[in-house]
Amino acid sequence: MKVTQHIKEAKDTLFSFEILPPLKGKSIQSIYDGIDPLMEFKPKFVNVTYHREEFIYKERDNGLLEKIATRKRPGTVGICAALINKYEVDTVPHLICGGFSKEETENALIDLQFLGIDNVLALRGDPIKTEPTFRPHKDGHKFAVDLINQVTDMNDGKYMLDDVDLEPTAFCIGAAGYPEKHFEAMNKQTDLKYLKDKVDAGAEYIVTQMFFDNQKYFDFVESCRKAGIDVPIIPGLKPVKTLNHISFLPKFFHIDFPEALSKELLKCKTNEDVEKVGIEWGIQQSKELKAAKVPCIHYYTMSNSSQVKSIAKEIF
Ligand code: FAD
């Protein structure tokens, strides 16, 4: 079922979460072990991230270094299909522009349709670690809006080879939104304009980047509505978990910790201290969002479900 249909039918705020495929060589059991504790909260859909290639250097016998492209976390589509089978839950694979030609995207969408997957979250993807800026595939898409246009075309029965009588796909398309602005955007206004373009191209709902100050989400929703973006905007939450997160999350995701949270985090001496603060903050954020009747709260688990379980227990 489509994410938008779940939202339409819901009587209260929904619960959903996002997982990462395991590192290459790990079994799918690690995914089930992470998901099992969260199933009691009846998620309506589970997102599975997509990770493109990275470059690593391997030493050859002659002592020279060889640059090798490798995907450390493959398996997005397989995991989505396995979760549908095992839990009868809807899944949302993330689809990115980076590393894909348009034809590879078309073929991936055909696979997804054959597997009974009704939703995709369409993203540009980040630059690969060794590149300073995002470089699209030479036959691929530069921005998420272009990818959304391709999915919309297929939903209209338009494939790349202009053949007639092709079966339309029926994907519900989600897009990413940034309450604190995407880090490359010149300003909030241009970022909002490009977000509106994604909705006009066919995105039916938005999932936000993580934020720790609900006011930023409420302001973002207000700006979106003023800009004519009228699709559901699902807030994304990530509980802080480790001492390392205190610098990593703001740096990597380009988000700020509010003053009150940073004060609490600065008192923490151990990962356990941070974990407790993260849960308490997540509970407070979730309570306020639920009271504001947001359509769904989407939790980034980053392969760790214990904190999300502690929060969900208090909310759902
Ligand atoms: P876009 O919407 O294309 O925007 C990228 C930048 O370009 C923005 O600054 C925007 O303002 C600007 N822009 C957009 N259109 C135009 C235009 N026409 N002309 C000029 N500028 C333009 N990454 C992964 O690799 N895998 C994942 O699974 C993944 N999951 C994510 C899930 C969520 C909910 C979120 C919020 C992010 C996720 N990301 C993931 C990260 C995402 O790929 C990055 O944030 C990426 O840098 C931008 O993706 P986007 O889809 O928002 O890009």
Side-chain angles (χ1 to χ4, degrees), residues 272-292:
E272 289 70 33
D273 296 341
V274 177
E275 189 161 351
K276 275 189 209 143
V277 171
I279 291 171
E280 197 40 49
W281 194 266
I283 291 172
Q284 295 317 322
Q285 267 196 288
S286 304
K287 278 187 177 163
E288 191 180 22
L289 290 168
K290 194 164 183 237

Side-chain angles (χ1 to χ4, degrees), residues 109-129:
L109 286 161
I110 290 170
D111 280 344
L112 295 178
Q113 200 198 18
F114 288 170
L115 287 166
I117 292 168
D118 297 327
N119 304 283
V120 289
L121 188 69
L123 303 145
R124 186 196 70 178
D126 278 325
I128 45 179
K129 281 182 192 144

Side-chain angles (χ1 to χ4, degrees), residues 14 55 64 75 101-102 209 212 243 266:
L14 299 175
F55 288 107
L64 292 176
S101 69
K102 290 173 201 158
Q209 182 57 280
F212 293 87
L243 288 165
L266 285 173

Side-chain angles (χ1 to χ4, degrees), residues 18 48-52 94 96 121-127 142-145 176-178 182-185 190-191 194 197-198 207-209 298 300:
E18 176 176 309
V48 184
T49 55
Y50 188 91
H51 299 259
R52 65 174 297 190
H94 293 189
I96 64 170
L121 188 69
L123 303 145
R124 186 196 70 178
D126 278 325
K142 193 170 175 196
F143 295 110
V145 66
Y178 302 82
H182 183 261
F183 69 102
E184 290 166 26
T190 57
D191 211 20
Y194 294 131
D197 288 349
K198 292 196 274 191
V207 185
T208 77
Q209 182 57 280
H298 186 73
Y300 295 101

